[in-house]
């Protein structure tokens, strides 16, 4: 199941967050979130990008975003029956071109496994990139954690031309 990539209206890129905005390339956010359900549910879960921004932190551009997940009935039932759900966040930095498809400059995948532990009655979220685990009392807390992305490094400043605009 795939959430469509949506441009965020009114996003001003890094120019607001970067002190040397005249020299920094503009990064416009275009986020694409893929939710893969291990249960292969027929229903599309809802994913909404509540807010998102990129900023220059030293020599690295970072992404912070708030996503809101609303799982459908079938993924919820699968989760309750012990079937884990894998969330995958795909981030790409692209250079738009007029006559050719956009050039992909960088690509990043963050994957998380979300499962219910019936013995402890807790929800476990595991970052599959780092194997970091977090336990939550409620499903709502776990989904809120999954949707909160903070200062995720996406690209070194040296890889971008300061005179160009880019899509993230």
């Amino acid at each position: 199941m795939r959430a469509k990539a949506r441009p965020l209206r009114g996003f001003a890129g890094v120019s607001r967050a970067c002190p040397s905005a005249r020299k920094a390339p503009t990064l416009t956010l275009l986020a694409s979130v893929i939710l893969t359900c291990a249960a292969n549910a027929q229903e599309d879960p809802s994913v909404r990008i509540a807010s998102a921004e990129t900023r220059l932190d030293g020599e690295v551009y970072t992404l912070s975003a708030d996503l809101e997940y609303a799982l459908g009935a079938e993924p919820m039932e699968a989760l309750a029956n012990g079937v884990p759900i894998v969330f995958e966040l795909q981030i790409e930095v692209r250079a738009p071109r007029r006559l050719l498809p956009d050039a992909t400059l960088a690509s990043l995948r963050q994957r998380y496994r979300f499962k219910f532990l019936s013995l402890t009655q807790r929800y476990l979220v595991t970052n599959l990139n780092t194997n970091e685990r977090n336990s939550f009392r409620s499903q709502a807390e776990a989904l809120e954690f999954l949707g909160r992305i903070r200062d995720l490094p996406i690209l070194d400043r040296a890889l971008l031309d300061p005179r160009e605009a880019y899509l993230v």
Side-chain angles (χ1 to χ4, degrees), residues 66-86:
D66 290 308
L67 309 174
E68 295 174 358
Y69 294 105
L71 299 180
E74 287 184 29
M76 295 285 287
E77 182 181 343
L79 188 63
N81 289 318
V83 178
I85 298 175
V86 175

Side-chain angles (χ1 to χ4, degrees), residues 24-38:
T26 302
L27 293 179
T28 304
L29 188 70
L30 177 65
S32 126
V33 178
I34 294 180
L35 175 63
T36 307
C37 179

Side-chain angles (χ1 to χ4, degrees), residues 66-67 69 139-149:
D66 290 308
L67 309 174
Y69 294 105
Q139 184 184 72
E141 289 175 324
L143 287 171
E144 183 179 323
F145 174 80
L146 281 165
R148 192 175 41 247
I149 296 139

Side-chain angles (χ1 to χ4, degrees), residues 23-112:
K23 295 180 182 175
T26 302
L27 293 179
T28 304
L29 188 70
L30 177 65
S32 126
V33 178
I34 294 180
L35 175 63
T36 307
C37 179
N40 293 322
Q42 299 290 323
E43 273 177 75
D44 276 341
S46 175
V47 179
R48 187 176 87 76
I49 302 170
S51 67
E53 72 174 359
T54 54
R55 70 180 180 92
L56 184 59
D57 185 11
E59 292 297 311
V60 176
Y61 284 99
T62 62
L63 171 70
S64 292
D66 290 308
L67 309 174
E68 295 174 358
Y69 294 105
L71 299 180
E74 287 184 29
M76 295 285 287
E77 182 181 343
L79 188 63
N81 289 318
V83 178
I85 298 175
V86 175
F87 289 78
E88 183 174 281
L89 178 66
Q90 290 186 342
I91 303 160
E92 291 184 344
V93 177
R94 296 187 217 148
R97 299 189 283 194
R98 288 188 180 160
L99 301 175
L100 297 172
D102 294 347
T104 300
L105 303 175
S107 181
L108 173 69
R109 286 181 9 168
Q110 285 291 116
R111 298 182 66 214
Y112 301 91

